[in-house]
Amino acid sequence: MRVQHRHIIYVQGYDPRGLAQYYRMFRTELRKFGRLYGLAATIGRPQVADDGEIASWTIDTKAGDWQTRTSYDFLRFEDLIQRDLASPIWRTVLHAIWIYWRLVFRGTIARFWKAHWRFATFITYPHFLLLIEALVALGVAFGFEKGLEALGLPAPFSMAAAAALFVAVLGTVLKYTENQTYLLYLLSDTIWTWEFSHRQRPEWDERIDRFAQYLAGVARASDAEEIVIVGHSSGSFLGAEILARALKLDPALGRHGPRIVFLTIGGNFPIVGFHAASRDFRDHLRQLAVEPSIDWIDCQSRKDVMNFYPFDPIAGHGIDVGAARRNPTIVPVRFREIIKPEHYNLFRWKFFRVHFQFVMANERPHAYDFFMIVCGPIPLSERMARPEAALAIATGDAAAREWAWKRLETAAASRADAADLGELEPSARRRG
């Protein structure tokens, strides 16, 4: 029951910042985690693989009556993402508009609205903002054209000059307001998810295949008690792809020794799964829904407009596996309960900040705590199944911790007995 060695495989979302900034954030949040619970956590320097695609570091965590060692792998996509963002502005804008209207006419946006209106609003936001900026630029160009006409310049010349000014003004506004609006980034994200869903990004598929091979190798060789694949944001469906492809390479993946748990946080599966072309992806979700050697935990937050809440990643895609279903366990997370009120009110409307709270330190002890998941002594499945016991071990006195460990061990023994009898766990359990 007590984890002494855990292996985390973290799958980043569509985030161009990459390793350097993620590692700095992780190290800072780890210190906050240590102060909150009064424990010592030390982190090693990242070591980058020869091909540059995986960075790894270790965390040693020690509390009064437990200690753990965590091997942490960061799977990197930032070079591919940065390449997308380096595309010319005009190409990004025209391509994203073309894709958005295809989503509208094919009914995909309507399905987003039905599944989660907040996410549909969020994905529409950059196009609405682009329209406003284009109208402003058009107004400037129109005024410029009328001025040239008043000076007696020929109409063809004034119209051509106004068109050039429109393009220049719009491009300048897009470029120099990007740090405030994230408009070009969000348009690039739309383009990428469309192309990935339609299997038009072979470089992504090739890297996912390599990561699947890496996961299969870790499962065979690791001496950890559990392996946790963490997919944050778009890393949720990327992680699902990696895990499903690893299972095809090695159908006994979760039976070699370490328990394998798939943790998706702030996930947005429908931006791939709702495309008609994504049949292979939906087949992978179907496989994970019934795989008995894998536990899948899906954490969602209503406050995060960049994830789908509430959403069942299996039924929401029209997948029905009947009584064979055992995944995922859906866990609602209330950020108001893990952040102090004075800080929560400062960033509650900053959507990217809220979205990253899933992977940042708590300010209040809570059963959902990313760094306790990474560094704590309780297996992830047991933590989510018995949140009150997990919290008692983190914050209680000696008697409370003893009670909590007994409760966890009793529950684990009961599940083992049920498995021996061939009973199935309840599917899509909801924990709060």
Side-chain angles (χ1 to χ4, degrees), residues 60-80:
D60 291 297
T61 311
K62 183 179 294 186
D65 55 358
W66 58 266
Q67 64 181 41
T68 63
R69 176 170 56 91
T70 304
S71 302
Y72 201 98
D73 291 331
F74 180 79
L75 307 190
R76 305 176 67 184
F77 292 105
E78 70 262 30
D79 58 320
L80 303 179

Side-chain angles (χ1 to χ4, degrees), residues 198-324:
H198 290 76
R199 288 294 181 261
Q200 296 174 8
R201 300 300 294 268
E203 71 277 18
W204 281 80
D205 279 310
E206 290 165 4
R207 189 164 300 185
I208 288 171
D209 286 338
R210 290 193 291 273
F211 287 155
Q213 293 171 1
Y214 177 77
L215 172 57
V218 168
R220 286 192 297 269
S222 177
D223 63 351
E225 283 86 19
E226 73 172 357
I227 298 171
V228 181
I229 302 107
V230 180
H232 175 241
S233 189
S234 299
S236 58
F237 58 78
L238 293 172
E241 283 292 290
I242 291 169
L243 180 54
R245 297 184 196 190
L247 280 166
K248 288 184 178 180
L249 292 172
D250 181 2
L253 184 76
R255 300 178 177 88
H256 291 299
R259 184 67 182 177
I260 294 181
V261 186
F262 182 35
L263 173 65
T264 50
I265 45 183
N268 44 25
F269 294 96
I271 63 174
V272 170
F274 277 7
H275 293 284
S278 298
R279 289 183 294 273
D280 288 346
F281 176 70
R282 291 190 293 274
D283 287 342
H284 291 162
L285 292 181
R286 184 188 304 273
Q287 177 188 10
L288 295 179
V290 300
E291 175 55 49
S293 65
I294 305 293
D295 286 339
W296 175 7
I297 312 291
D298 183 49
C299 294
Q300 308 172 0
S301 175
R302 178 190 175 114
K303 190 60 183 174
D304 179 14
V305 301
M306 297 171 69
N307 82 165
F308 279 76
Y309 173 95
F311 183 76
D312 184 332
I314 303 304
H317 284 91
I319 300 170
D320 183 6
V321 293

